[in-house]
PDB file of all heavy atoms in Angstrom:
ATOM      1  N   LEU W  66       8.235  -0.031   3.320  1.00 98.00           N
ATOM      2  CA  LEU W  66       9.237   0.170   4.409  1.00 98.00           C
ATOM      3  C   LEU W  66      10.495  -0.673   4.168  1.00 98.00           C
ATOM      4  O   LEU W  66      11.616  -0.171   4.372  1.00 98.00           O
ATOM      5  CB  LEU W  66       8.603  -0.182   5.744  1.00 98.00           C
ATOM      6  CG  LEU W  66       8.033   0.975   6.566  1.00 98.00           C
ATOM      7  CD1 LEU W  66       9.096   1.933   6.958  1.00 98.00           C
ATOM      8  CD2 LEU W  66       6.953   1.699   5.753  1.00 98.00           C
ATOM      9  N   THR W  67      10.341  -1.918   3.683  1.00 97.00           N
ATOM     10  CA  THR W  67      11.539  -2.708   3.484  1.00 97.00           C
ATOM     11  C   THR W  67      12.401  -2.143   2.334  1.00 97.00           C
ATOM     12  O   THR W  67      13.594  -2.194   2.409  1.00 97.00           O
ATOM     13  CB  THR W  67      11.141  -4.182   3.191  1.00 97.00           C
ATOM     14  OG1 THR W  67      10.216  -4.228   2.082  1.00 97.00           O
ATOM     15  CG2 THR W  67      10.495  -4.832   4.395  1.00 97.00           C
ATOM     16  N   LEU W  68      11.687  -1.612   1.318  1.00 97.00           N
ATOM     17  CA  LEU W  68      12.457  -1.009   0.243  1.00 97.00           C
ATOM     18  C   LEU W  68      13.214   0.264   0.696  1.00 97.00           C
ATOM     19  O   LEU W  68      14.373   0.511   0.358  1.00 97.00           O
ATOM     20  CB  LEU W  68      11.510  -0.671  -0.910  1.00 97.00           C
ATOM     21  CG  LEU W  68      10.995  -1.876  -1.713  1.00 97.00           C
ATOM     22  CD1 LEU W  68       9.866  -1.431  -2.630  1.00 97.00           C
ATOM     23  CD2 LEU W  68      12.102  -2.499  -2.497  1.00 97.00           C
ATOM     24  N   ILE W  69      12.507   1.119   1.463  1.00 97.00           N
ATOM     25  CA  ILE W  69      13.168   2.281   2.000  1.00 97.00           C
ATOM     26  C   ILE W  69      14.369   1.921   2.863  1.00 97.00           C
ATOM     27  O   ILE W  69      15.424   2.549   2.777  1.00 97.00           O
ATOM     28  CB  ILE W  69      12.159   3.147   2.769  1.00 97.00           C
ATOM     29  CG1 ILE W  69      11.149   3.831   1.844  1.00 97.00           C
ATOM     30  CG2 ILE W  69      12.927   4.249   3.582  1.00 97.00           C
ATOM     31  CD1 ILE W  69      10.048   4.586   2.546  1.00 97.00           C
ATOM     32  N   ASN W  70      14.187   0.915   3.710  1.00 96.00           N
ATOM     33  CA  ASN W  70      15.226   0.558   4.610  1.00 96.00           C
ATOM     34  C   ASN W  70      16.421  -0.122   3.958  1.00 96.00           C
ATOM     35  O   ASN W  70      17.484  -0.267   4.605  1.00 96.00           O
ATOM     36  CB  ASN W  70      14.678  -0.423   5.704  1.00 96.00           C
ATOM     37  CG  ASN W  70      13.659   0.281   6.623  1.00 96.00           C
ATOM     38  OD1 ASN W  70      13.695   1.481   6.766  1.00 96.00           O
ATOM     39  ND2 ASN W  70      12.772  -0.475   7.210  1.00 96.00           N
ATOM     40  N   THR W  71      16.298  -0.499   2.682  1.00 95.00           N
ATOM     41  CA  THR W  71      17.425  -1.029   1.947  1.00 95.00           C
ATOM     42  C   THR W  71      17.862  -0.017   0.874  1.00 95.00           C
ATOM     43  O   THR W  71      18.413  -0.444  -0.180  1.00 95.00           O
ATOM     44  CB  THR W  71      17.058  -2.370   1.302  1.00 95.00           C
ATOM     45  OG1 THR W  71      15.821  -2.255   0.594  1.00 95.00           O
ATOM     46  CG2 THR W  71      16.888  -3.438   2.401  1.00 95.00           C
ATOM     47  N   ASP W  72      17.533   1.232   1.053  1.00 94.00           N
ATOM     48  CA  ASP W  72      17.950   2.337   0.209  1.00 94.00           C
ATOM     49  C   ASP W  72      17.444   2.179  -1.244  1.00 94.00           C
ATOM     50  O   ASP W  72      18.154   2.526  -2.204  1.00 94.00           O
ATOM     51  CB  ASP W  72      19.475   2.426   0.197  1.00 94.00           C
ATOM     52  CG  ASP W  72      20.032   2.813   1.551  1.00 94.00           C
ATOM     53  OD1 ASP W  72      19.387   3.665   2.250  1.00 94.00           O
ATOM     54  OD2 ASP W  72      21.076   2.263   1.962  1.00 94.00           O
ATOM     55  N   ARG W  73      16.215   1.705  -1.363  1.00 96.00           N
ATOM     56  CA  ARG W  73      15.558   1.579  -2.706  1.00 96.00           C
ATOM     57  C   ARG W  73      14.290   2.432  -2.684  1.00 96.00           C
ATOM     58  O   ARG W  73      13.190   1.946  -2.949  1.00 96.00           O
ATOM     59  CB  ARG W  73      15.257   0.108  -3.024  1.00 96.00           C
ATOM     60  CG  ARG W  73      16.513  -0.747  -3.257  1.00 96.00           C
ATOM     61  CD  ARG W  73      16.189  -2.127  -3.692  1.00 96.00           C
ATOM     62  NE  ARG W  73      15.611  -2.912  -2.618  1.00 96.00           N
ATOM     63  CZ  ARG W  73      15.054  -4.132  -2.770  1.00 96.00           C
ATOM     64  NH1 ARG W  73      14.943  -4.644  -4.010  1.00 96.00           N
ATOM     65  NH2 ARG W  73      14.592  -4.782  -1.757  1.00 96.00           N
ATOM     66  N   THR W  74      14.483   3.685  -2.416  1.00 96.00           N
ATOM     67  CA  THR W  74      13.372   4.607  -2.269  1.00 96.00           C
ATOM     68  C   THR W  74      12.547   4.748  -3.558  1.00 96.00           C
ATOM     69  O   THR W  74      11.314   4.863  -3.475  1.00 96.00           O
ATOM     70  CB  THR W  74      13.849   5.993  -1.805  1.00 96.00           C
ATOM     71  OG1 THR W  74      14.589   5.824  -0.576  1.00 96.00           O
ATOM     72  CG2 THR W  74      12.704   6.914  -1.554  1.00 96.00           C
ATOM     73  N   ASP W  75      13.201   4.770  -4.720  1.00 97.00           N
ATOM     74  CA  ASP W  75      12.457   4.899  -5.951  1.00 97.00           C
ATOM     75  C   ASP W  75      11.472   3.730  -6.138  1.00 97.00           C
ATOM     76  O   ASP W  75      10.319   3.951  -6.539  1.00 97.00           O
ATOM     77  CB  ASP W  75      13.399   4.919  -7.143  1.00 97.00           C
ATOM     78  CG  ASP W  75      14.068   6.283  -7.322  1.00 97.00           C
ATOM     79  OD1 ASP W  75      13.638   7.255  -6.656  1.00 97.00           O
ATOM     80  OD2 ASP W  75      15.046   6.393  -8.099  1.00 97.00           O
ATOM     81  N   GLU W  76      11.914   2.548  -5.780  1.00 97.00           N
ATOM     82  CA  GLU W  76      11.025   1.393  -5.864  1.00 97.00           C
ATOM     83  C   GLU W  76       9.875   1.504  -4.876  1.00 97.00           C
ATOM     84  O   GLU W  76       8.743   1.129  -5.179  1.00 97.00           O
ATOM     85  CB  GLU W  76      11.791   0.073  -5.660  1.00 97.00           C
ATOM     86  CG  GLU W  76      12.834  -0.213  -6.713  1.00 97.00           C
ATOM     87  CD  GLU W  76      13.653  -1.466  -6.415  1.00 97.00           C
ATOM     88  OE1 GLU W  76      13.011  -2.533  -6.227  1.00 97.00           O
ATOM     89  OE2 GLU W  76      14.866  -1.351  -6.368  1.00 97.00           O
ATOM     90  N   ALA W  77      10.181   2.016  -3.726  1.00 97.00           N
ATOM     91  CA  ALA W  77       9.131   2.180  -2.674  1.00 97.00           C
ATOM     92  C   ALA W  77       8.047   3.174  -3.153  1.00 97.00           C
ATOM     93  O   ALA W  77       6.863   2.934  -3.010  1.00 97.00           O
ATOM     94  CB  ALA W  77       9.734   2.696  -1.393  1.00 97.00           C
ATOM     95  N   LEU W  78       8.497   4.277  -3.783  1.00 97.00           N
ATOM     96  CA  LEU W  78       7.574   5.257  -4.296  1.00 97.00           C
ATOM     97  C   LEU W  78       6.727   4.667  -5.433  1.00 97.00           C
ATOM     98  O   LEU W  78       5.597   5.077  -5.608  1.00 97.00           O
ATOM     99  CB  LEU W  78       8.300   6.514  -4.750  1.00 97.00           C
ATOM    100  CG  LEU W  78       9.043   7.259  -3.615  1.00 97.00           C
ATOM    101  CD1 LEU W  78       9.785   8.481  -4.169  1.00 97.00           C
ATOM    102  CD2 LEU W  78       8.048   7.708  -2.559  1.00 97.00           C
ATOM    103  N   THR W  79       7.280   3.756  -6.194  1.00 97.00           N
ATOM    104  CA  THR W  79       6.529   3.128  -7.298  1.00 97.00           C
ATOM    105  C   THR W  79       5.390   2.305  -6.702  1.00 97.00           C
ATOM    106  O   THR W  79       4.298   2.274  -7.259  1.00 97.00           O
ATOM    107  CB  THR W  79       7.462   2.205  -8.114  1.00 97.00           C
ATOM    108  OG1 THR W  79       8.462   3.019  -8.737  1.00 97.00           O
ATOM    109  CG2 THR W  79       6.668   1.510  -9.196  1.00 97.00           C
TER     110      THR W  79
END
Side-chain angles (χ1 to χ4, degrees):
L66 266 295
T67 54
L68 287 169
I69 290 175
N70 292 336
T71 52
D72 296 321
R73 292 185 288 169
T74 302
D75 283 347
E76 294 177 55
L78 295 178
T79 298

